[in-house]
Amino acid sequence: MAFDARAADRSGRSPRDTTRPALARRSRGTGPGAGAGGTGPDLDRAAREEPVTLRLDGRVALVTGAGSPDGIGYATARRLRDLGARVAIVSTTRRIHERATELGVTGFVADLTDEAEVAALADAIADQLDEVEVLVNNAGLASRASPEVLRPVAQLSYDEWHREIERNLSTAFLCSRAFIGGMAERGWGRIVNLAATSGPVNALPTEAAYAAAKAGVVGLTRALAMEMVADGVTVNAVAPGTIYTAASTMAELKQGLGTPVGRPGTPDEVAAAICFLCSPAASYITGQMLVVDGGNSVREAEFRY
């Protein structure tokens, strides 16, 4: 099924207040064994309550930026569905309806740089599925409506800079803010933000705005992880290197062939990392960035066997 969050926003309902603080924060525990270094009953009970499993049966998951059938968002949504989650996907264009039909999930159209549309999206998902418990902030890169900006800083306009920041960083902020309150109230949640090696690890000429935004995604991830750690919510980032998608350029594919692994990565390989961090099995991992780049970022120099 597919729904348009923009239509929901025009329905006359007041969208939720996405700036509301998290309610009913969970106690860290005050009994025997609570606190740093404790090994008493409270910690034992907490460990038993979280099963070490990859399954997400019945959990509501939202994947943003899933409009391309060859992209990371689509691969992630498919894998989350296979793990038992009830999946919603969203993109800026109505092609998301085709993806939703293919996957058998629920699709939404929304501009995630617009605060009101994100609020309407949150309400629409709650109405159709339930409150979001797993959020994958994959939206970013270029879109049909907003092509990628490749320009040196000296030639980069402020509007172009702002557009890249909005698309790659503000979307993660707005979506996270819309759903963390509900996660905190339930005492469980997973947020995985898509960063990139460009920015947090390395950089390329003409991509300053993109690199700055993705470095900002990692900063947002770490800060939010510390804010939500007492609420049973983990927040992590995945940083892909060169990934082979339908949008890959010949130059990008050549970069992939030059990695230690000898090829670019695939959307499914990135999706596997994302979905592990979304799972109950990753309950003791938060505030981290997992690099998926075939070892490229750790290689000191070109080598041959």
Side-chain angles (χ1 to χ4, degrees), residues 24 75 173 191:
F173 161 69
I191 298 175

Side-chain angles (χ1 to χ4, degrees), residues 234-261:
T234 66
V235 188
N236 292 288
V238 170
T242 302
I243 306 300
Y244 180 39
T245 70
S248 298
T249 65
M250 187 58 66
E252 289 170 337
L253 295 179
K254 288 181 178 178
Q255 289 171 8
L257 295 174
T259 64
V261 172

Side-chain angles (χ1 to χ4, degrees), residues 140-217:
L141 287 175
S143 69
R144 293 180 176 180
S146 183
E148 187 176 6
V149 177
L150 297 174
R151 215 182 307 280
V153 170
Q155 301 171 18
L156 191 66
S157 72
Y158 182 70
D159 285 344
E160 290 169 335
W161 166 272
H162 188 261
R163 188 159 63 246
E164 287 291 298
I165 299 297
E166 287 282 286
R167 178 167 56 201
N168 289 286
L169 178 56
S170 296
T171 52
F173 161 69
L174 289 173
C175 288
S176 296
R177 191 183 67 178
F179 297 108
I180 54 176
M183 293 180 185
E185 289 171 13
R186 289 185 301 278
W188 196 94
R190 297 286 187 269
I191 298 175
V192 179
N193 297 320
L194 264 290
T197 53
S198 181
V201 178
N202 49 41
L204 292 170
T206 75
E207 293 188 0
Y210 176 77
K214 290 304 187 181
V217 167

Side-chain angles (χ1 to χ4, degrees), residues 56 58-62 80-81 84-88 105 128-130:
L56 288 162
R59 301 284 189 185
V60 176
L62 170 63
L80 288 172
R81 178 205 64 190
R86 302 166 62 199
V87 179
V105 302
Q128 299 299 327
L129 297 174
D130 205 341

Side-chain angles (χ1 to χ4, degrees), residues 6-96:
R6 295 172 183 172
D9 190 34
R10 291 192 294 266
S11 67
R13 290 178 48 189
S14 298
R16 68 176 65 195
D17 178 7
T18 59
T19 64
R20 71 178 187 270
L23 301 178
R25 294 184 64 85
R26 293 166 64 86
S27 170
R28 294 176 186 269
T30 56
T39 58
D42 287 352
L43 289 182
D44 291 342
R45 183 170 58 253
R48 290 195 302 269
E49 287 174 354
E50 186 76 342
V52 181
T53 176
L54 296 176
R55 297 294 302 178
L56 288 162
D57 296 298
R59 301 284 189 185
V60 176
L62 170 63
V63 182
T64 70
S68 169
D70 304 304
I72 293 170
Y74 186 88
T76 300
R78 180 175 58 217
R79 186 174 287 266
L80 288 172
R81 178 205 64 190
D82 292 345
L83 290 172
R86 302 166 62 199
V87 179
I89 56 177
V90 60
S91 76
T92 58
T93 67
R94 295 188 63 82
R95 66 174 177 163
I96 198 67

